[in-house]
Structures are given as structure tokens and as C-alpha cells.
Amino acid sequence: MALKVTGTRNQPFSEFRKRVFTEAGDKVVGRGPSRPDQAAFLGLSEAELTPSVQGAIRTLLTEIDDLRHEVERLKAQLLRIEILADQDPLTAAINRRALIRELDRIRAISHQYRSPATLVYLDLDDFKDINDRFGHMAGDQALCAIAERLRAEVADNDLVARVGGDEFAVVLTQASLPVAESRARHLARSLEAKPVEFGEWSAPLHVSWGLSEIRPDLESEEILAQADAAMYARRRERRAGA
């Protein structure tokens, strides 16, 4: 480790350093050659850089290195905890908490760069029938399959979230309402094109969806609520026309 100091020598602090390193060095077993750069760092002459002081320096540098590794380990652990806090444990999609935070971020970006973005709210129709007919394990498998299909269909900078139960949300960045409507239709058709299979059985999927433009004048919860309301309105219209 290369150490260098500049400026006028602080004599009282230098004396304090000498005493601390000497006392600590008396407890350290070890010998080594004198180092001019160590002497300069400590404010010591080479004659004053005794073997006991050199041992104290080595111990201190080892402790600093150990501390650095511990800080890195704690940072990695904190990152893992943050990821788990933002992730739906079943589908690995982001959860509602993370979605709201990301909507806040995208609202600010859209306002700053005048870049359109849209939220798609998707809900599985009659999902309860899958649970009742095949069991909750099959229902969980269906939810995981839906999340996986959505992730495969969206762009890398888009987001897939499980809002709750059988409800999902997709954030389409760089997508105005007309573009988002076309992409939402494609997402719904893609989900419905292939039934979910459970061993020898399979169940078709039916999806309702709604849109809400991500605008800076709307709070993130309002954007989510608007898309949810649009999804229910579309479902009612479809069932009324059936």
C-alpha cells in the first residue's frame, strides 16, 4: 500500500502517533526492513521506525484490509435484501412497492425529457376456476407462467410487476397511448394463445387489460388506479357484448 503525506509536520500529532504505534508494536511479533515511505507517513525518522513500530503498522494495515472486506460483504448482503424486498416471491416479478417507486422515477424522466410512457394493467378472467378445478398449486404455476411470458414479450427497459393476486402491470417506456394500446392487445393475445398445462390437464387463459398514461401531473397511485378502472370497464363492455 503506497502512503504519502504532504504539508507541514504537526509535531504534537507526530508525537502521539509515535507513542500509539510504539505501544501497539510492543505487542506484535515480527521484523522487517525499514521503509522510508512509512517513516514519512508517520512523521518518524528511519531510526525511529523500530521493528515494533513496523509490526504495529503491518497489524493496522491488515485490520484495515479486513474491515474493507467486511464492508463489501455487508454491501452485497444489503443489495440482496433490497432485491428480495422489491420482488414478488412467487413469480420473481417486481412487487407493488417497487412498481410505485419505479412509476415515480419514470414520471420524473417523462417530464424532464418529454418521453411518453404508459402503464398496462392486466387481470386474468375467471382465475378462481383454475384454483377450484386444479388446485392452488396449479394456480401458482399459471401465475408464474404468465409472468414469464410477459417478461419474454416486453423490451429490456420495460417493467413487469405482479400487483396482487392474479393482477399484473407492465410499464411500457417510450410508448404513447396509441402505441401502448397496440402492444397491450399483443400481450393479451400472446397470453391467451397458449393454455397453461398441469400434467395431463390444461386451462385456457382469458385476459382483460386497461391503460393509463404515465404523466407527471398524476401521482403513481392515481396512474395505477386509472389503469385498473380502464381494465374493469373493458371487461364489462366485452361481457355485455358477448
Side-chain angles (χ1 to χ4, degrees), residues 119-126 163-169 184 188 192 206-212 223-239:
L119 178 71
V120 184
Y121 200 104
L122 303 108
D123 183 73
L124 299 180
D125 300 341
D126 304 320
V163 183
D166 59 347
E167 299 174 343
F168 290 83
E192 294 174 344
H206 302 286
V207 181
S208 295
W209 55 272
L211 301 177
S212 180
I223 294 170
L224 196 60
Q226 283 191 2
D228 186 21
M231 180 273 296
Y232 277 108
R234 187 181 298 273
R235 175 184 290 172
R236 287 192 299 269
E237 289 176 3
R238 189 183 70 250
R239 289 179 174 175

Side-chain angles (χ1 to χ4, degrees), residues 39-227:
F41 170 68
L42 296 172
L44 303 170
S45 68
E46 289 192 55
E48 293 171 317
L49 193 61
T50 63
S52 62
V53 172
Q54 293 183 51
I57 293 172
R58 286 193 294 272
T59 299
L60 177 62
L61 295 180
T62 299
E63 291 176 353
I64 291 173
D65 194 52
D66 290 344
L67 180 60
R68 179 177 60 83
H69 286 301
E70 178 65 11
V71 169
E72 291 174 353
R73 186 189 68 80
L74 291 174
K75 284 182 178 179
Q77 184 177 2
L78 179 60
L79 179 60
R80 288 193 296 271
I81 293 172
E82 289 176 346
I83 290 173
L84 290 175
D86 286 346
Q87 192 176 75
D88 174 55
L90 176 63
T91 64
I94 65 172
N95 57 24
R96 185 188 181 102
R97 168 183 175 272
L99 174 63
I100 294 299
R101 186 190 64 239
E102 290 302 307
L103 284 175
D104 290 340
R105 181 181 63 84
I106 293 170
R107 285 171 54 233
I109 292 174
S110 297
H111 176 66
Q112 182 177 359
Y113 297 103
R114 300 185 182 277
S115 174
T118 304
L119 178 71
V120 184
Y121 200 104
L122 303 108
D123 183 73
L124 299 180
D125 300 341
D126 304 320
F127 181 73
K128 184 176 180 295
D129 293 344
I130 296 179
N131 284 328
D132 291 344
R133 183 178 178 184
F134 302 106
H136 287 280
M137 185 176 295
D140 289 349
Q141 186 176 334
L143 294 174
C144 291
I146 290 163
E148 184 177 351
R149 293 181 193 179
L150 289 174
R151 284 192 291 264
E153 291 287 345
V154 302
D156 290 341
N157 55 338
D158 295 336
L159 297 172
V160 175
R162 184 186 177 199
V163 183
D166 59 347
E167 299 174 343
F168 290 83
V170 176
V171 176
L172 299 176
T173 57
Q174 302 295 321
S176 62
L177 275 175
V179 172
E181 182 168 359
S182 175
R183 293 179 62 183
R185 290 184 188 277
H186 173 77
L187 288 175
R189 289 170 182 166
S190 177
L191 292 176
E192 294 174 344
K194 183 180 178 182
V196 178
E197 298 179 351
F198 322 103
E200 298 178 356
W201 304 91
S202 66
L205 297 176
H206 302 286
V207 181
S208 295
W209 55 272
L211 301 177
S212 180
E213 185 179 8
I214 300 175
R215 307 198 317 258
D217 60 314
L218 292 175
E219 295 296 327
S220 296
E221 289 285 0
E222 292 179 286
I223 294 170
L224 196 60
Q226 283 191 2

